[in-house]
Structure formats: structure tokens, C-alpha cells
């Protein structure tokens, strides 16, 4: 309930972490459960992996999870 109320006004939640198929994927599943998949994206450059993201990429593609593009975000915010 706390998570639901805390993130109700957030436009996007970007997920990153140490190891993709352990802590990152569990965080991703929990955040999606509470805020919905439309508000969630993953920052691939900020996620460690033991298999070059092979299984994690399959998971995000299969579940249609957005990949956060920080380069695009930086250029969009320039006046």
C-alpha cells in the first residue's frame, strides 16, 4: 500500500542494479506489480550481468518492458 501511494504521481520509474537476473529482476517484478508496466523502464547501462544480459533481455522483450534511453532524455530536455 505504501508503494502504491508513494509512486501514484510518478511519470516513470527507471530500474537499475547489480545483477540483472537476481536483484534487478525481482525489483522490476515488484515495481510493476505496484505501479503498472507503463510507468517502468530499465536502464541497461546501469545493470550488471553474468551472461551479457541474454536472459534478462529475453524477459524484458517478452514482457514488453521499456528500455530507458538516457541520451535521448538529455537531448529532449535542452531548451
Amino acid at each position: 500500500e505504501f508503494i502504491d501511494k508513494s509512486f501514484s504521481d510518478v511519470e516513470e520509474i527507471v530500474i537499475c542494479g547489480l545483477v540483472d537476473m537476481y536483484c534487478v529482476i525481482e525489483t522490476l517484478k515488484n515495481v510493476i506489480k505496484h505501479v503498472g508496466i507503463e510507468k517502468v523502464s530499465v536502464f541497461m547501462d546501469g545493470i550488471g550481468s553474468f551472461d551479457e544480459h541474454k536472459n534478462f533481455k529475453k524477459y524484458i522483450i517478452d514482457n514488453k518492458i521499456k528500455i530507458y534511453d538516457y541520451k535521448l532524455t538529455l537531448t529532449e530536455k535542452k531548451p
Side-chain angles (χ1 to χ4, degrees), residues 17-51:
L18 294 177
V19 182
D20 56 9
M21 292 306 291
Y22 297 96
C23 54
V24 176
I25 199 165
E26 292 306 317
T27 300
L28 186 58
K29 289 175 184 177
N30 284 325
V31 171
I32 289 170
K33 180 174 66 173
H34 289 285
V35 302
I37 201 165
E38 63 281 348
K39 289 187 175 186
V40 177
S41 61
V42 293
F43 177 44
M44 296 301 292
D45 289 346
I47 299 172
S49 179
F50 292 120
D51 66 356

Side-chain angles (χ1 to χ4, degrees), residues 4 9 11-12 16 18 21 31 33 35 43 45 58 63 69 78:
D4 297 338
D9 294 333
E11 290 181 29
E12 182 179 27
C16 62
L18 294 177
M21 292 306 291
V31 171
K33 180 174 66 173
V35 302
F43 177 44
D45 289 346
K58 180 177 178 352
N63 290 281
D69 186 346
K78 289 183 179 178

Side-chain angles (χ1 to χ4, degrees), residues 62-75:
D62 290 350
N63 290 281
K64 298 179 175 81
I65 298 167
K66 294 178 287 188
I67 296 176
Y68 179 74
D69 186 346
Y70 66 94
K71 294 173 188 168
L72 179 62
T73 303
L74 289 174
T75 59

